[in-house]
Amino acid sequence: MPLAENDTVTTIGEGGRRVWLYPLKVWGRFVTARTLFGWFLFAALLVAPWIDVGGHPAMMFDIPHRRFYLWGLTLFATDANYLLFLFGSFIFSVFLFTALLGRVWCGWACPQTVFLEGIIRPIEQLIEGKPSQRKKLDNAPWTVGKVWKKGLKLTAFLVVAGAISTTVVAYFIGREGIFEAQADPFSHPAATSIFIVLTAVLMFDFTWFREQVCIVACPYGRFQSVLMDADSLTIAYDAERGEPRGKARDPSAGDCVDCKKCVQVCPTGIDIRKGVQMECINCTACIDACDSIMDKLGRERGLVRYTSENALAGGKLRLLRPRVVLYAIVLVAIGTGFATALTLRQPVEIAMTRPPGDPFVVRPDGQLQNMMRLRIANKTDAPRRFTATVVSPADGTLHAPIADMRVAPQQVGQFPVLLIRPSAEARATKFVIRVDGDDGYTDTVDAVFLAPPPSSDGKAGSDEGR
Ligand code: SF4
Ligand code: SF4
């Protein structure tokens, strides 16, 4: 049974053959705004690892040292709660913006669209010309001119892919690491491998896979239908106004003159006039294309426009719906929680941990001893010195083999400490330790003090703990 028109993928031809697209570049208010926004995002992505904010890279995920730098904010591995806030914000932003604005992410912010539509296709057009010229070149036999153009284009793509890969790797090993890896690729084998693989993947995408990422590979395109409803904003053709298609001078025809410009500019090769389709990445090109035709005809813009299914069916454009309000409330709650957590964030964090080994030792003098480890995270940008003293119990003492506990800026120090009670009669109890910093910082931390189980005569055992 032949497939209905909308059941076929436009880029798959006879026998599964790939149909290559040659979208026409169009300019208009939406494409211009989208291009500027895409360049802003691209610049932010490229620049972030290379500039400093607060003495650190603006963005860096320093996995070996378990620290993340986010535009002046330094997060340690123990700050996973902040990452949860960020992750939650991202998820609910996707929910909110998709329910409200449909596939706005795909058209305006997705790296695939930003790279392909904002950089790669313009480079291609610059070197190989308009769609008809590009198609002719692809079908032409190999000549010196064709080799030159294709070689130049591949070189330009490689420069872009290399710049993106270098930047992505710099997010993890920093700019110094990148310089070292460039001078000696074997000095950072993992980073070098990621750079090579990522560059290869990007080249595969730029040179061949292209719109197939959106059409067949990206899960978000399928996921969006769950998040959207008939009131979500989408790009659609106003069939009521446009049909029946016909010549501009035909008074019985609708506003669509069947010029197919909206189809020619579509980077996924679809015809928006067939209705909302999964392949549509809401890139806005068809809006600007159709508006340019309407302008020439002296007709009102918006035959293809941002609207909603319900609005097209004669209803109202209803952006504020219960689910949108709910997502917005959750997002505001997450944002408020994040801001509060940041405000309450301590510049120094302390924790007491128990290293592996004997939980307690009965010393020759009869005193009971627990070996512990005091962990101090200095989240400030200055070196700090700390001292530790016992608050309780009254008969407890603390001995720090490294009395002068210094922690460098943005570093975590681990210091062995001995907690001692005078008698092996002691039962398990809690030590409260006060930690004072040279900058006036003071806080307490608890440590469970372990003791041997009582012997049958009610006295504590005297052997080393196991
Ligand atoms: S139908 Fe329009 S908005 Fe959708 S991908 Fe094609 S050109 Fe972009
Ligand atoms: S660009 Fe506008 S007028 Fe031309 S075919 Fe598309 S919808 Fe019709």
Side-chain angles (χ1 to χ4, degrees), residues 235 262-263 265-272 277 279-287 304:
I235 293 174
C262 53
V263 183
V265 299
C266 181
T268 58
I270 59 173
D271 185 343
I272 191 70
Q277 292 151 73
E279 292 92 336
C280 176
I281 57 169
N282 276 28
C283 75
T284 70
C286 54
I287 299 182
V304 179

Side-chain angles (χ1 to χ4, degrees), residues 351-385:
M352 197 66 98
T353 58
R354 190 178 297 276
D358 297 338
F360 56 81
V361 170
V362 179
R363 294 158 52 121
D365 59 4
Q367 296 195 97
L368 200 55
Q369 169 185 303
N370 278 199
M371 165 73 102
M372 302 293 287
R373 192 181 284 146
L374 178 58
R375 183 182 180 283
I376 305 177
N378 175 10
K379 300 181 177 181
T380 70
D381 284 322
R384 293 276 180 262
R385 293 162 71 159

Side-chain angles (χ1 to χ4, degrees), residues 182-195:
Q182 282 176 342
D184 175 12
F186 294 101
S187 64
H188 293 269
T192 303
S193 307
I194 291 170
F195 170 79

Side-chain angles (χ1 to χ4, degrees), residues 146-443:
K146 180 169 175 173
V147 169
W148 161 249
K149 283 188 175 175
K150 293 286 178 191
L152 185 63
K153 183 177 85 169
L154 285 182
T155 306
F157 287 1
L158 196 57
V159 169
V160 176
I164 295 169
S165 304
T166 303
T167 303
V168 170
V169 173
Y171 274 100
F172 293 91
I173 64 171
R175 48 184 179 258
E176 287 78 17
I178 279 289
F179 292 140
E180 285 167 17
Q182 282 176 342
D184 175 12
F186 294 101
S187 64
H188 293 269
T192 303
S193 307
I194 291 170
F195 170 79
I196 293 170
V197 170
L198 189 57
T199 305
V201 168
L202 287 171
M203 284 302 283
F204 172 71
D205 181 24
F206 294 165
T207 56
W208 193 76
F209 206 48
R210 296 193 167 190
E211 73 286 339
Q212 298 301 307
V213 171
C214 311
I215 296 176
V216 300
C218 177
Y220 177 61
R222 283 132 191 89
F223 180 55
Q224 55 148 352
S225 56
V226 183
L227 300 172
M228 287 175 69
D229 57 30
D231 285 309
S232 300
L233 214 56
T234 188
I235 293 174
Y237 164 72
D238 187 345
E240 189 74 27
R241 178 183 152 190
E243 303 293 316
R245 300 165 200 175
K247 298 233 179 302
R249 57 179 177 275
D250 180 355
S252 64
D255 275 350
C256 176
V257 291
D258 207 16
C259 65
K260 295 192 172 56
K261 194 166 179 191
C262 53
V263 183
Q264 291 161 9
V265 299
C266 181
T268 58
I270 59 173
D271 185 343
I272 191 70
R273 295 172 301 169
K274 291 177 185 169
V276 176
Q277 292 151 73
M278 196 275 293
E279 292 92 336
C280 176
I281 57 169
N282 276 28
C283 75
T284 70
C286 54
I287 299 182
D288 283 334
C290 191
D291 280 352
S292 70
I293 300 297
M294 293 299 115
D295 287 350
K296 273 187 203 153
L297 296 173
R299 294 179 181 170
E300 194 189 341
R301 287 180 170 188
L303 179 57
V304 179
R305 62 177 182 273
Y306 269 117
T307 182
S308 72
E309 267 185 60
N310 278 344
L312 266 187
K316 277 192 169 175
L317 195 58
R318 208 168 63 94
L319 292 182
L320 277 186
R321 285 114 56 205
R323 65 189 298 191
V324 168
V325 174
L326 183 70
Y327 292 150
I329 289 173
V330 174
L331 201 55
V332 169
I334 292 174
T336 309
F338 188 40
T340 309
L342 281 181
T343 311
L344 298 177
R345 191 174 188 236
Q346 294 290 335
V348 174
E349 272 185 11
I350 52 175
M352 197 66 98
T353 58
R354 190 178 297 276
D358 297 338
F360 56 81
V361 170
V362 179
R363 294 158 52 121
D365 59 4
Q367 296 195 97
L368 200 55
Q369 169 185 303
N370 278 199
M371 165 73 102
M372 302 293 287
R373 192 181 284 146
L374 178 58
R375 183 182 180 283
I376 305 177
N378 175 10
K379 300 181 177 181
T380 70
D381 284 322
R384 293 276 180 262
R385 293 162 71 159
F386 298 91
T387 56
T389 49
V390 174
V391 176
S392 69
D395 61 359
T397 53
L398 178 147
H399 177 63
I402 306 169
D404 189 16
M405 295 187 280
R406 295 166 184 253
V407 188
Q410 307 285 352
Q411 296 292 330
V412 176
Q414 311 245 26
F415 305 96
V417 291
L418 303 177
L419 303 183
I420 301 164
R421 292 198 70 188
S423 168
E425 302 285 337
R427 295 283 182 274
T429 186
K430 188 177 81 174
F431 263 60
V432 179
I433 313 293
R434 194 178 79 223
V435 177
D436 295 298
D438 57 358
D439 60 341
Y441 166 84
T442 185
D443 201 358

